Structures are given as C-alpha cells and as structure tokens.
C-alpha cells in the first residue's frame, strides 16, 4: 500500500458543536427525511418473500466481521423500496468483481441481457460488527478479492444503478484510514454500487482545509470517469449498518446521522458534516464547498447554507440505520474566522468554491484499496 508506506500526513477531524441552527428543522418537509417510497423492506433484509437462497448472503471477505444478530439498532429501519420494485430484479448473491476481471458489469458489451440492480441490494445484513483494529494492509489486499486497483468495486450479476466516488480528505491518519477501508469495502460491495474510493491528502504541515480537499476530490474523480454522485467521508467515521446506502440521493443526504460520540443523536437540525452525499449536478449547482475554511469548523454549515440557498434540502435516513462509530483523535485547532465566514458566506457562494479552486496534483497512485492523490493547496483570496 504505497501511500501508507510513505507515511501519509495528518487529518484531525472536528468535533461537531451545535451553534446557530438548533432551532430549525426539516421534519415537516414533504420529502425531508425519507426520500424514497413508503413501503417497508424488512422482508428483504430479514428474508420474507426473498427466495434467492440468501442464507449465505455475504461474500468471503466480508463474512469475517459481520454481526450475526440485529445489534442494538432495533427495528429494520429503512423504508426505501416498493414491493413491486423489489420483485422485478435478479437477486443473485454474487457480489463484487472476481480477481483479474478486465471489465465491470456496468461497462460490459452484453448490458442488454443484464438487468439493473435493485434499489436495495438483497445481500444486505443490517447491523455489522465494527472493527477498530484492522489487519495489516497486505492482509486486507489479499482478503478483498472483489476490489480492483484504485479501490474500485462493482457488481457482476446486475448493472449498478449508481456510479459513486467516495472522497476522503486526509492527512497523517494511516491507522484511521486502514480501519475505514477494512469496514467500508465489504459494505459497498454488498450494496451493489459501482464505486471508487479516493483518498485526497494535503501536502505539508499548515492548517488543514478539509473542504478544499473535497473540492479537489470532486474535480480529480471526474477526470477518471463520469460519476453520478459523491460521498464526502471523514476518515474517522465507521459505518455500523449496511442499510445506510452509499447511493445517489435525490436531495443532498447527510449520512452520519447518529454517531456514538454524540450518543447517537443529531446535534442540530442542519448538520451536514461527517459523511454526506451529493449528486454531481447538485454539487456543481452550489459551487462545491467554500475554500476559505482553514482549520476546524464552519465548512459543513456553509455547505448547509448553500444547499438551502439553492432551493435544495438535507435528507436523512432514520437514526437507527444511519449510525457510525467515531475513532478517537486529538482536537484540531479551530478556525478563528469561521463565524465571520459563515455570516458573510452568501455573498461568496458564486465566487468561492469550485469556481476559484487552485491546487497542484503532486502525486497520484493506485494501490489495491484506494486511489491516492497528494495535492498542494493554494489559498484563495476571500471575496
């Protein structure tokens, strides 16, 4: 694993503090929380009418660290697919891509004979046992046979609905990255999405700019291929349930709704930090993240303001599904100007973001489990 072997530089994630937005809610919005259909999918997750011999529904690499029970989530959680939708797709248990396979199913020449993957994969198991102590990278690389170089995965028995780029802003957190890769790859494979993981590392030791790195990830990922949506993922958050779908949202989706550090409760209504998903079109519409937030704090709330200013809203899965464990780390130094930049952010929405992004790509490599980008950021002048 090239990047870890070279000693990746440090990203210290930010505690989420409830300020300014605690009195607002999207609870009464007609599409505020659940953005798909009203029918339950408990029969899909727990067996029910699914007659695809789903007794052995996990692949070899993921079987090692899955919880056999329901965990402490309680209930089956999602309500995302109608019974009609659940019945019209093939439900083979084959997940991922065999070693050395030269082509992904979604790019195959015989697409006409391959059906589209269901909205909710039949391979999901619900709550999973999160591991904070992963094996060595070399062991992981041999274990995840379905993952192709650059951290790419894709189903072979159906055409993936979504082509998803996972963007991880990063510096000096090799152990956290190792744990995230170990926990997230099996989940992504079971979800039957066409995905690629991008680790965007900031060069140097200056103030960390998480938002700018996510902008870089968006731009660089699109140079590889046309992704439908982007998951912006803090390196210290490990998903606890594979029903928390890393798929493309109709509206910007906040995914890390319930984090153990915050007692699995949402700190404030407009929170958009930790793990979030946006379509390619919506991210371009809001001009990406602001580039002026150096150090901890503010960039996620600025994005929430951009989302609302453009007539969009934040969607979420239920808290008993959208659960994460946070890895421990030192508190990062706060950005002293974050409140000022938040107050004046609206006037910069059109000029601060993708439109004035400046950086230099220093290195790019594709070890087995992810695509690594080392970048040098150029601070833009605030408008």
């Amino acid at each position: 694993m090239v990047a870890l072997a070279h000693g990746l530089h440090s990203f210290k994630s930010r505690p989420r503090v409830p300020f300014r937005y605690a009195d607002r809610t999207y609870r009464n919005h007609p599409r505020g929380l659940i953005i798909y259909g009203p029918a339950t999918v408990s029969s899909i997750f727990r067996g029910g009418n699914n007659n695809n011999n789903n007794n052995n529904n996990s692949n070899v690499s993921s079987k090692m660290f899955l919880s056999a029970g329901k965990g402490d989530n309680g209930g089956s959680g999602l309500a995302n697919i109608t019974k009609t939708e659940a019945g019209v797709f093939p439900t083979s248990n084959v997940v991922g891509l065999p070693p050395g396979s030269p082509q992904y199913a979604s790019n195959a020449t015989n697409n006409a004979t391959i059906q589209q993957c269901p909205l909710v994969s039949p391979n999901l198991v619900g709550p999973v046992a999160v591991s904070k102590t992963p094996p060595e990278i070399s062991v992981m690389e041999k274990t995840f046979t379905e993952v192709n170089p650059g951290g790419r995965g894709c189903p072979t028995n159906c055409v993936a609905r979504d082509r998803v780029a996972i963007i991880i802003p990063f510096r000096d957190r090799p152990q956290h990255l190792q744990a995230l890769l170990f926990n997230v790859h099996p989940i992504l494979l079971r979800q039957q999405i066409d995905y690629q993981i991008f680790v965007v590392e900031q060069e140097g030791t200056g103030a960390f700019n998480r938002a700018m790195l996510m902008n870089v990830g968006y731009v660089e990922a699109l140079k590889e291929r046309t992704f439908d949506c982007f998951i912006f993922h803090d390196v210290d958050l490990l998903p606890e349930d594979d029903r928390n779908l890393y798929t493309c949202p109709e509206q910007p989706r906040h995914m890390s709704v319930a984090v153990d550090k915050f007692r699995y409760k949402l700190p404030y209504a407009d929170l958009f930090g930790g793990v979030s998903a946006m379509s390619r079109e919506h991210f371009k519409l809001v001009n990406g993240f602001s580039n002026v937030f150096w150090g901890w704090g503010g960039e996620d709330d600025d994005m929430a303001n951009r989302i609302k200013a453009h007539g969009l809203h934040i969607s979420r899965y239920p808290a008993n599904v959208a659960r994460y464990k946070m890895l421990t780390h030192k508190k990062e130094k706060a950005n002293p100007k974050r409140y000022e930049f938040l107050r004046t952010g609206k006037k910069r929405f059109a000029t601060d973001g993708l439109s004035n992004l400046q950086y230099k790509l220093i290195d790019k490599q594709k070890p087995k489990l992810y695509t690594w980008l080392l970048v040098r950021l150029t601070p833009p002048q605030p408008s």
Side-chain angles (χ1 to χ4, degrees):
M1 183 168 177
V2 179
L4 286 181
H6 287 173
L8 295 164
H9 296 80
S10 175
F11 165 47
K12 299 180 176 64
S13 72
R14 300 138 308 281
R16 308 300 182 191
V17 180
F19 61 89
R20 296 215 317 136
Y21 303 116
D23 61 332
R24 302 180 187 177
T25 179
Y26 289 96
R27 187 168 301 166
N28 296 321
H29 194 286
R31 301 179 67 81
L33 296 180
I34 307 302
I35 62 175
Y36 297 116
T40 179
V41 290
S42 59
S43 61
I44 296 177
F45 294 135
R46 303 304 178 196
N49 296 325
N50 188 10
N51 24 354
N52 65 330
N53 299 323
N54 210 24
N55 294 333
N56 55 351
N57 64 348
S58 58
N59 57 73
V60 174
S61 63
S62 62
K63 196 175 295 182
M64 298 182 299
F65 37 90
L66 291 177
S67 169
K70 294 184 179 179
D72 57 352
N73 288 12
S76 60
L78 295 180
N80 295 345
I81 182 172
T82 66
K83 292 180 180 179
T84 302
E85 289 169 330
V88 298
F89 300 103
T91 53
S92 167
N93 290 326
V94 179
V95 180
L97 199 65
S101 178
Q103 220 169 14
Y104 289 91
S106 58
N107 296 329
T109 57
N110 63 341
N111 270 358
T113 62
I114 303 178
Q115 291 182 287
Q116 193 174 42
C117 297
L119 281 171
V120 177
S121 168
N123 302 301
L124 305 185
V125 299
V128 298
V130 173
S131 175
K132 296 183 179 181
T133 55
E136 294 297 322
I137 287 294
S138 59
V139 174
M140 291 168 56
E141 290 177 341
K142 293 177 181 177
T143 301
F144 295 137
T145 57
E146 303 89 348
V147 178
N148 276 237
R152 289 187 63 175
C154 187
T156 56
N157 63 311
C158 58
V159 179
R161 288 174 174 267
D162 300 310
R163 185 172 285 182
V164 183
I166 315 292
I167 309 297
I168 304 173
F170 183 87
R171 192 169 63 180
D172 197 26
R173 296 274 191 90
Q175 293 178 334
H176 286 184
L177 178 59
Q178 201 167 326
L180 176 57
L181 295 171
F182 183 64
N183 285 276
V184 79
H185 267 299
I187 288 177
L188 297 174
L189 290 168
R190 289 197 300 278
Q191 291 184 357
Q192 294 184 323
I193 57 176
D194 181 351
Y195 73 91
Q196 184 170 350
I197 294 179
F198 294 85
V199 176
V200 189
E201 179 184 359
Q202 181 176 333
E203 182 197 48
T205 58
F208 189 74
N209 194 321
R210 172 179 175 268
M212 205 167 176
L213 292 176
M214 293 188 286
N215 286 341
V216 171
Y218 172 89
V219 172
E220 289 295 322
L222 288 176
K223 292 180 181 179
E224 291 234 342
R225 51 193 180 128
T226 305
F227 288 96
D228 301 312
C229 60
F230 297 79
I231 310 288
F232 302 101
H233 207 301
D234 280 1
V235 74
D236 59 355
L237 288 175
L238 309 180
E240 297 186 45
D241 197 308
D242 64 7
R243 297 169 299 171
N244 187 16
L245 303 179
Y246 280 59
T247 52
C248 294
E250 294 181 15
Q251 291 286 326
R253 181 191 300 151
H254 179 231
M255 299 186 64
S256 52
V257 178
V259 180
D260 62 345
K261 180 177 180 180
F262 307 119
R263 300 180 181 179
Y264 294 105
K265 295 181 179 179
L266 188 68
Y268 54 101
D270 287 356
L271 179 63
F272 200 67
V275 185
S276 58
M278 294 185 70
S279 69
R280 181 180 69 251
E281 294 81 4
H282 285 166
F283 195 75
K284 183 177 180 180
L285 174 67
V286 303
N287 196 23
F289 285 90
S290 169
N291 295 316
V292 302
F293 290 90
W294 298 82
W296 170 76
E299 75 280 356
D300 296 324
D301 298 297
D302 183 85
M303 174 55 82
N305 289 337
R306 290 175 182 235
I307 288 169
K308 290 178 291 183
H310 288 84
L312 306 173
H313 67 266
I314 298 172
S315 62
R316 292 187 173 96
Y317 286 139
N320 68 322
V321 170
R323 293 164 63 92
Y324 289 79
K325 290 190 184 300
M326 181 179 286
L327 299 171
T328 57
H329 53 84
K330 294 180 181 179
K331 185 177 179 179
E332 188 175 352
K333 184 178 180 181
N335 179 347
K337 294 185 177 181
R338 64 191 185 280
Y339 297 112
E340 174 188 346
F341 287 151
L342 275 174
R343 285 193 300 269
T344 60
K346 188 174 183 178
K347 69 178 184 180
R348 294 192 308 275
F349 287 170
T351 58
D352 170 28
L354 294 175
S355 59
N356 70 338
L357 179 65
Q358 295 184 50
Y359 68 94
K360 181 177 181 180
L361 181 62
I362 304 299
D363 197 4
K364 178 178 180 178
Q365 298 183 36
K366 291 188 176 182
K368 167 79 169 177
L369 301 178
Y370 60 90
T371 297
W372 176 59
L373 307 171
L374 179 64
V375 299
R376 181 180 301 154
L377 303 180
T378 301
Q381 294 299 319
S383 302

